[in-house]
């Protein structure tokens, strides 16, 4: 049973809520300041970082999806000059949920630009995305305001136009779209348990604009198939052989046609679980060391 709040605690929670609302009004209505995403993690063992890698999670998730992987990387002595930054995307985790935010590529790109500017990054930048975070990272490398030196895309959901309509027969559609359509039904709990087992999916976001609009505007966007061939940034794409949410053949075709993409197939499913975490860590470390060595010349 949850612990009951005392009268003082209830009053304190109300005061905090009112203060947050007042600050939001002053910040965005009076001073017209732009929204930035919540920075959940920002760490570098060195006082003068030489490289920054920003970790971006997927739909219905948060920085927590990357937490264990980042912890392993930042404890590596060879990566002491790397700055590790983890963020929560708009509408998810600890980030704001602006009413006017459309959760499309344009809005996510602008929010990421503002967040990177706020971080005052003075080093080369790598973006590491998981699932929908891959799409946002890829988009930013193409149209963002900052140059991105390398992309790490873990479990990128790339579908062709004719595949989107048939996703209903795939677990991917059951894990996301069906949950959206049947939110509130008794069966949702059973499906959600399966989804939670295979990914960092947070079922509490099902009825939010962030979830619904991100699904339509990003994941089920038939332009993703074309855009992956236009990526000019050196890219590592990684996916698990047992990932029911990804079409591996699409990634193999993309890697064949676009020489900037290096594809790695490993064990594991959709999430960055222990089964494929070692491979993801190894690739990220390798690319970081290459960047550090290149910068030292």
């Amino acid at each position: 049973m949850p612990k009951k709040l005392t009268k003082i605690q209830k009053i304190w929670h109300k005061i905090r809520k009112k203060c947050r609302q007042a600050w939001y009004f002053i910040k965005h209505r009076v001073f017209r300041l732009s929204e930035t995403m919540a920075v959940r993690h920002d760490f570098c063992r060195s006082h003068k970082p030489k490289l920054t890698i920003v970790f971006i999670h997927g739909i219905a998730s948060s920085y927590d999806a990357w937490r264990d992987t980042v912890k392993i990387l930042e404890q590596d002595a060879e990566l002491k000059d790397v700055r590790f930054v983890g963020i929560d995307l708009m509408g998810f985790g600890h980030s704001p949920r602006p009413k006017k935010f459309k959760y499309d590529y344009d809005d996510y790109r602008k929010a990421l630009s503002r967040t990177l500017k706020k971080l005052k990054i003075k080093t080369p930048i790598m973006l590491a995305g998981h699932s929908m975070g891959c799409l946002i990272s890829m988009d930013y490398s193409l149209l963002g305001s900052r140059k991105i030196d390398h992309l790490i895309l873990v479990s990128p959901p790339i579908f062709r136009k004719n595949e989107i309509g048939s996703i209903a027969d795939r677990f991917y559609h059951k894990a996301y779209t069906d949950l959206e359509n049947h939110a509130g039904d008794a069966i949702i709990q059973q499906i959600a348990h399966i989804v939670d087992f295979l990914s960092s999916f947070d079922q509490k976001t099902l009825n939010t604009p962030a979830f619904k609009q991100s699904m339509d505007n990003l994941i089920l966007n038939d332009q993703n198939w074309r855009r992956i061939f236009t990526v000019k940034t050196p890219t590592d794409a990684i996916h698990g052989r047992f990932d029911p949410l990804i079409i591996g053949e699409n990634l193999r075709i993309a890697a064949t046609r676009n020489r900037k993409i290096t594809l790695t197939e490993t064990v594991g499913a959709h999430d960055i679980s222990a089964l494929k975490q070692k491979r993801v860590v190894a690739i990220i470390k390798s690319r970081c060391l290459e960047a550090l060595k290149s910068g030292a010349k």
Side-chain angles (χ1 to χ4, degrees), residues 4 14 17 30 34 36 49 74 110 120 141 174 189 194-195 214 221 223 233 236 239-240 273 282 288 291:
K4 292 184 178 180
K14 288 182 179 179
K17 183 178 180 180
V30 179
S34 300
T36 59
E74 66 186 16
K110 290 177 181 177
K120 299 180 180 179
S141 73
K174 292 182 182 298
Q189 296 298 330
I194 298 174
V195 175
S214 294
N221 189 326
Q223 294 302 310
T233 302
D236 276 283
H239 84 94
S273 61
C288 285

Side-chain angles (χ1 to χ4, degrees), residues 36-49:
T36 59
M37 295 185 280
V39 177
R40 294 278 305 281
H41 187 81
D42 189 353
F43 176 81
C44 181
R45 297 177 67 175
S46 170
H47 293 297
K48 295 183 178 180

Side-chain angles (χ1 to χ4, degrees), residues 86-124:
I87 62 175
D88 281 345
L89 291 172
M90 277 303 196
F92 301 104
H94 295 217
S95 279
R97 294 160 172 75
K99 292 183 178 180
K100 294 185 179 180
F101 202 80
K102 298 177 182 177
Y103 299 98
D104 57 13
Y105 276 120
D106 188 50
D107 277 357
Y108 273 124
R109 189 188 319 121
K110 290 177 181 177
L112 182 55
S113 291
R114 293 192 295 263
T115 304
L116 295 179
K117 183 177 180 181
K118 179 182 177 181
L119 288 165
K120 299 180 180 179
I121 299 173
K122 299 180 180 179
T123 69

Side-chain angles (χ1 to χ4, degrees), residues 28 49 58 79 85 120 143 148 158 188 201 224 236-237 287-288:
H28 301 289
L79 302 180
V85 174
K120 299 180 180 179
L143 301 171
I148 302 302
I158 303 294
I188 190 175
F201 183 85
N224 294 333
D236 276 283
R287 298 312 183 196
C288 285

